[in-house]
Amino acid sequence: MTEQELDGPEIGQESDLKYLNVKELSEEEVVTQIDEYEIVASPNDFNTRTINSFIEEGAIKIPPFQRNYVWDRKRASKLIESLILGLPVPQVFLYEEGNNDFLVIDGQQRLMTVFFFAKGRFPRKEKRSILRKFFNAEGGISEEILDNDEYFETFKLSLPSLPGEKKNRFTGRTYATLDEFKRQFDLRTIRNVIVKQVSPVDDDSAMFEMFNRLNTGGVNLNPQEIRASLYHSRFFEGIFSLNENAKWRDLLGSSEPDSRMKDMEIILRSLALREGTDGYAGSMTGFVNRFCKNSKKFASQKIEKTADEWSWFMNLNQECTRSTYQAGSARFSPLLFEAVYVASLSLRSEGRNISTLRPEWIEHIGKSKRFSQFAQEGSTKTSNVKGRLNETKKLLDELIGNAS
């Protein structure tokens, strides 16, 4: 059984945001020159009992974007049968964040299948999309949720029998009823390759590229999906909540979050630019990555302040609609939104009294020559990013002043 047959694609190739100007976000999503890195890769053989223990204790973490389990019972049962019989299964790739602290790069479907079987529980298909909310901070699922029949059912193996042959001897068995085969399953090993970037010390770009090349499932991951794996934190989890803000969903014109996380990327770009552009050096991807890495150290007060600012800005947009941030096109413009967000917070911090954002103000900014000249091709260049933010602030300040 091949790796492709076991795991299969987990993420759709197209963004749900058909109304979003994706080009503004994807300008840097091209193959670039890879610098020289020092990476250590060590193979290990963990038995299934150790794997389950690591998942329970949080030593092995499932990245947020991977948390939807997609296998059906037949595919999951084939993996369990292969392990019991001692047949080879594809190896797993783990990224070592710290001592005994691993992040799954590739193979989460296999690992979660082993975990669910050992727990005797199989996730109900209609409930899998919300199971991510029940993963605790360490990456596991509580016994209370596992025992809840609303979300899980008994994991009984479902294996085919050849025509004219007797029923497969493992069909209908659970972990508890494996009998003499239970020890075989517990001691079967899965080869895992643990990778760690040694240098550069403060640069995760090699790991970023590794996620992109390994964990494809037939589909290339976009930068935001990779960030959700590399930079998971309390702050990053909070971005999921910001993304569910009712007014934000209204501005985007979609009630449901994008499966490829493009909407979350807009939020993170806006928050990163709000922090300041002193460290910006021509790559929006690198700039946002550094912000996400630093955010892992944010204190609770900082996280709460960010959420309050987002809520404040959404309230300013009560008169705005999905057509407000289109910058003269037919789709939502991330460049216009992030510029207005940064400008509004900047003016507020300077004591400017802003009680609302009128749709005509934002439309005026988006269609103005002063904004457009910095939003054309090469929009991620340092001069264009800083120029766009500065001009938006000037224009917004003028519009607010004229309305006073």
Side-chain angles (χ1 to χ4, degrees), residues 280-315:
Y280 190 86
S283 170
M284 183 61 71
T285 298
F287 178 71
V288 176
N289 287 351
R290 288 190 293 274
F291 172 76
C292 289
K293 184 174 183 179
N294 291 335
S295 72
K296 296 176 74 171
K297 303 175 183 178
F298 285 176
S300 298
Q301 185 177 4
K302 173 71 172 179
I303 297 174
E304 292 172 4
K305 179 183 177 182
T306 300
D308 289 341
E309 289 183 344
W310 182 257
S311 179
W312 173 82
F313 183 71
M314 288 299 119
N315 288 332

Side-chain angles (χ1 to χ4, degrees), residues 43-228:
N44 296 272
D45 291 315
F46 292 156
N47 62 41
T48 61
R49 181 177 289 178
T50 299
I51 289 172
N52 291 327
S53 176
F54 278 6
I55 293 175
E56 282 187 324
E57 296 171 3
I60 293 180
K61 298 182 178 65
I62 307 298
F65 84 87
Q66 293 184 355
R67 287 179 180 169
N68 285 353
Y69 183 76
V70 300
W71 279 11
D72 58 25
R73 193 193 298 264
K74 290 182 179 180
R75 176 178 287 188
S77 296
K78 285 182 180 180
L79 175 70
I80 300 302
E81 181 190 36
S82 295
L83 288 169
I84 294 173
L85 296 177
L87 298 176
V89 299
Q91 63 188 1
V92 170
F93 284 87
L94 304 174
Y95 165 38
E96 185 176 357
E97 292 188 296
N99 188 31
N100 292 324
D101 190 8
F102 309 107
L103 195 65
V104 179
I105 299 178
D106 186 57
Q108 73 104 0
Q109 298 292 314
R110 278 159 275 154
L111 294 180
M112 292 311 296
T113 295
V114 169
F115 175 76
F116 288 141
F117 182 69
K119 291 295 183 181
R121 306 293 284 168
F122 194 76
R124 295 185 183 277
K125 186 175 181 179
E126 68 276 11
K127 294 296 183 179
R128 295 179 186 181
S129 62
I130 63 173
L131 281 179
R132 181 178 61 80
K133 297 181 179 181
F134 298 116
F135 275 73
N136 62 40
E138 296 302 326
I141 302 179
S142 69
E143 294 292 337
E144 180 181 1
I145 297 299
L146 283 168
D147 291 338
N148 191 326
D149 290 335
E150 181 181 354
Y151 301 106
F152 290 88
E153 59 187 338
T154 302
F155 194 159
K156 293 182 179 180
L157 295 179
S158 176
L159 295 159
S161 300
L162 294 174
E165 298 289 331
K166 63 181 180 180
K167 184 176 69 173
N168 186 298
R169 57 179 169 172
F170 298 119
T171 291
R173 296 211 188 194
T174 65
Y175 175 73
T177 60
L178 280 181
D179 299 329
E180 70 270 22
F181 299 105
K182 189 173 183 180
R183 178 170 294 181
Q184 288 181 211
F185 174 77
D186 285 341
L187 298 181
R188 291 300 186 201
T189 60
I190 296 179
R191 171 59 57 95
N192 61 87
V193 178
I194 297 177
V195 293
K196 183 176 183 179
Q197 179 176 318
V198 179
S199 66
V201 177
D202 298 321
D203 183 355
D204 290 325
S205 53
M207 293 301 104
F208 197 87
E209 185 62 27
M210 193 173 300
F211 267 79
N212 193 29
R213 297 186 179 211
L214 284 177
N215 195 352
T216 62
V219 179
N220 289 332
L221 301 181
N222 65 45
Q224 186 55 37
E225 290 165 331
I226 300 172
R227 288 186 193 109

Side-chain angles (χ1 to χ4, degrees), residues 64 67 132 228 231-242:
R67 287 179 180 169
R132 181 178 61 80
Y231 307 118
H232 60 282
S233 62
R234 280 191 59 220
F235 174 81
F236 208 105
E237 286 295 323
I239 304 301
F240 284 94
S241 297
L242 302 189

Side-chain angles (χ1 to χ4, degrees), residues 24 27 269 273 277 280 284 333-340 342-343 365-366 368 370-396:
E24 294 183 353
E27 186 171 322
R269 283 173 54 133
L273 291 170
T277 57
Y280 190 86
M284 183 61 71
S333 170
L335 300 186
L336 177 59
F337 177 84
E338 66 193 23
V340 174
V342 173
I365 295 172
S368 70
R370 293 167 64 180
F371 176 86
S372 298
Q373 65 179 327
F374 295 112
Q376 301 302 318
E377 186 175 352
S379 61
T380 60
K381 292 180 179 178
T382 303
S383 58
N384 285 338
V385 170
K386 293 186 176 182
R388 194 163 59 242
L389 297 180
N390 291 333
E391 288 303 320
T392 299
K393 181 180 178 181
K394 290 178 183 177
L395 288 169
L396 185 59

Side-chain angles (χ1 to χ4, degrees), residues 250-262:
D250 179 53
L251 292 177
L252 289 175
S254 173
S255 60
E256 297 297 327
D258 176 43
S259 64
R260 300 300 306 276
M261 297 187 175
K262 289 290 187 179

